[in-house]
Amino acid sequence: MKPSIYGLTRDELIDWAEEHGEKKFRATQIWDWLYRKRVQTFEEMTNLSKDFIAVLNDSFCLNPLKQRIVQEASDGTVKYLFELPDGMLIETVLMRQHYGLSVCVTTQVGCNIGCTFCASGLIKKQRDLTSGEIVAQIMLVQKYFDERQQDERVSHVVVMGIGEPFDNYTNVLKFLRTINDDNGLAIGARHITVSTSGLAHKIRDFANEGVQVNLAVSLHAPNNELRSSIMRINRSFPLEKLFDAIHYYIETTNRRVTFEYIMLNEVNDGLEQAQELADLLKDIKKLSYVNLIPYNPVTEHDQYSRSPKERVLAFYDRLKKNGVNCVIRQEHGTDIDAACGQLRSNTMKKDRQQAIAEAAD
Ligand code: SAH
Ligand code: SF4
């Protein structure tokens, strides 16, 4: 299988063109065809010679993903199930926000972090996605709108789909540079958010990259004992190490950090935990936000349920009283398989059931 041309950053494409005897501006033209005009074949790049198009066809494929399922929810959320060249399945979600179209991308097939509340962690990591496969998700979502002649552009990206982005660091960074490139999709860095379960050493690396992309950290508990019991990763990177890295990030980049906190009924949503969380954040109150996230029930994780509204509001009030910036996150696409990893895992279950039924016939 040939690699996807979406996997090359603009600088890499320039190097590649020069290595193939072409001038730099040829690479600029290709970039423009890919990301501004968004052609689907190399043949449509009409200002390139036939010979050069043949070289492109010999070297690359364009979009490596096949669309398997598209589900549109009543609130405009669209969920896509894509097939990778090796037959594996990933999912991508498009959310309509008041500020524009926001896409949630997947970075790995499965996830090794194994958080106890997450559908993606049920399947061990099969492999990392290439940067081309991550860019391709954005391109296919944009194509969906281009084809409907809806003059809408993907304006925001969240790296919050299946996988731990900092466990696929190099490819995720290439992806970020590609979609942020001014001459291409030009998705503003401040409109992009990467979410991590807390790989402290990678948070430090990310601080040193000089990108203006937003960082979100999945916290979900205010002390080590509770966090380790719901997120195994906390045993390798306990809160002390995590917060050292977060302080380093804030000092280096001068940027705020978002904390994600899923509200799990009677697990992490008491007033005592709200106070502990406020205390944990007291030094960085002005430089952080807390997002309180409704739990999306996952059948296999039935030890958890969603916090009732009164508990969420009481938690929120306690944070606010302590001066913590805090919002309660809106849900999207509740009438389709909304939680991270759910469309994929439910489709795989259906595939399995079908295979079992076929075997029984
Ligand atoms: N691996 C990264 C990014 C992908 S998960 C991370 O963990 O941050 C993106 C977000 O979805 C995380 O905050 C994660 O905790 C949250 N999430 C996972 N399963 C969920 C569920 N069942 N309900 C609500 N949020 C969930
Ligand atoms: Fe992996 Fe994130 Fe799910 Fe944890 S929450 S298992 S890190 S995808």
Side-chain angles (χ1 to χ4, degrees):
M1 183 71 199
K2 286 174 268 184
S4 167
I5 195 163
Y6 293 143
L8 271 59
T9 60
R10 198 152 63 91
D11 286 346
E12 288 173 338
L13 188 61
I14 291 169
D15 289 347
W16 179 87
E18 285 176 347
E19 276 161 27
H20 287 78
E22 294 287 341
K23 296 250 158 47
K24 181 178 168 182
F25 80 93
R26 286 283 174 226
T28 312
Q29 286 174 325
I30 297 173
W31 195 261
D32 190 69
W33 284 112
L34 291 175
Y35 297 111
R36 288 280 166 91
K37 303 195 181 77
R38 298 191 285 280
V39 295
Q40 303 299 318
T41 62
F42 292 121
E43 281 69 23
E44 291 165 73
M45 301 183 173
T46 47
N47 52 6
L48 304 184
S49 71
K50 287 225 157 49
D51 287 350
F52 192 40
I53 288 175
V55 177
L56 281 167
N57 269 319
D58 282 344
S59 310
F60 302 110
C61 71
L62 242 152
N63 202 310
L65 307 180
K66 268 197 242 139
Q67 195 168 290
R68 275 272 301 262
I69 297 179
V70 181
Q71 291 182 342
E72 195 156 347
S74 46
D75 65 0
T77 302
V78 189
K79 192 137 187 171
Y80 305 83
L81 191 76
F82 295 132
E83 187 177 323
L84 299 167
D86 49 11
M88 296 197 199
L89 300 174
I90 56 164
E91 61 188 56
T92 306
V93 182
L94 175 278
M95 290 158 291
R96 275 182 188 282
Q97 309 279 16
H98 63 274
Y99 46 74
L101 296 182
S102 174
V103 176
C104 175
V105 293
T106 281
T107 55
Q108 299 180 314
V109 184
C111 182
N112 276 346
I113 308 292
C115 303
T116 55
F117 46 78
C118 175
S120 307
L122 289 169
I123 304 142
K124 275 215 160 292
K125 181 175 95 173
Q126 315 287 302
R127 70 170 173 91
D128 289 329
L129 294 198
T130 63
S131 61
E133 289 165 339
I134 312 174
V135 173
Q137 296 171 54
I138 307 281
M139 299 311 291
L140 279 184
V141 174
Q142 185 61 60
K143 180 171 170 236
Y144 182 87
F145 288 91
D146 290 346
E147 280 173 349
R148 280 158 187 75
Q149 263 109 44
Q150 280 168 274
D151 194 20
E152 289 179 286
R153 292 262 334 276
V154 172
S155 56
H156 290 68
V157 170
V158 292
V159 185
M160 291 190 185
I162 301 168
E164 167 48 55
F166 284 175
D167 182 37
N168 185 13
Y169 188 84
T170 309
N171 290 337
V172 168
L173 256 289
K174 275 177 73 171
F175 158 74
L176 296 176
R177 293 195 198 282
T178 298
I179 63 167
N180 177 232
D181 189 285
D182 280 347
N183 300 296
L185 294 174
I187 299 175
R190 289 185 166 77
H191 290 182
I192 305 173
T193 302
V194 176
S195 172
T196 177
S197 57
L199 276 67
H201 58 306
K202 295 293 181 188
I203 293 177
R204 286 173 184 272
D205 290 348
F206 195 60
N208 296 330
E209 293 289 348
V211 290
Q212 301 295 310
V213 169
N214 305 307
L215 177 69
V217 176
S218 295
L219 193 59
H220 308 323
N223 62 59
N224 280 324
E225 195 188 341
L226 185 56
R227 193 162 189 267
S228 294
S229 75
I230 59 179
M231 298 174 77
R232 229 181 26 210
I233 185 86
N234 195 66
R235 295 177 205 161
S236 316
F237 300 105
L239 289 174
E240 298 72 26
K241 270 197 193 161
L242 178 59
F243 274 81
D244 275 354
I246 289 169
H247 284 125
Y248 177 79
Y249 174 88
I250 291 175
E251 279 157 27
T252 313
T253 63
N254 239 329
R255 300 188 59 74
R256 293 179 183 218
V257 171
T258 300
F259 291 100
E260 291 158 284
Y261 197 101
I262 304 179
M263 299 297 284
L264 302 169
N265 190 28
E266 308 273 356
V267 174
N268 64 354
D269 66 343
L271 285 182
E272 202 184 313
Q273 280 101 27
Q275 190 58 51
E276 251 184 301
L277 180 57
D279 294 343
L280 186 64
L281 302 181
K282 67 174 183 307
D283 301 338
I284 51 169
K285 258 193 279 196
K286 298 262 172 309
L287 292 159
S288 60
Y289 283 105
V290 175
N291 256 341
L292 299 179
I293 305 173
Y295 170 60
N296 267 314
V298 176
T299 328
E300 289 80 353
H301 299 316
D302 60 2
Q303 72 272 38
Y304 297 126
S305 60
R306 182 177 286 208
S307 300
K309 211 171 167 185
E310 319 75 72
R311 286 181 76 83
V312 178
L313 289 174
F315 196 96
Y316 171 88
D317 285 345
R318 177 59 69 91
L319 291 180
K320 282 278 181 195
K321 219 168 87 190
N322 282 272
V324 174
N325 297 310
C326 174
V327 290
I328 301 173
R329 190 189 280 170
Q330 293 280 336
E331 276 193 284
H332 294 275
T334 35
D335 53 340
I336 55 179
D337 296 306
C340 151
Q342 280 194 336
L343 177 60
R344 174 172 180 272
S345 76
N346 288 347
T347 304
M348 290 184 31
K349 267 184 238 156
K350 276 177 214 146
D351 281 358
R352 258 199 311 273
Q353 277 158 7
Q354 203 177 341
I356 292 165
E358 277 164 11
D361 274 350

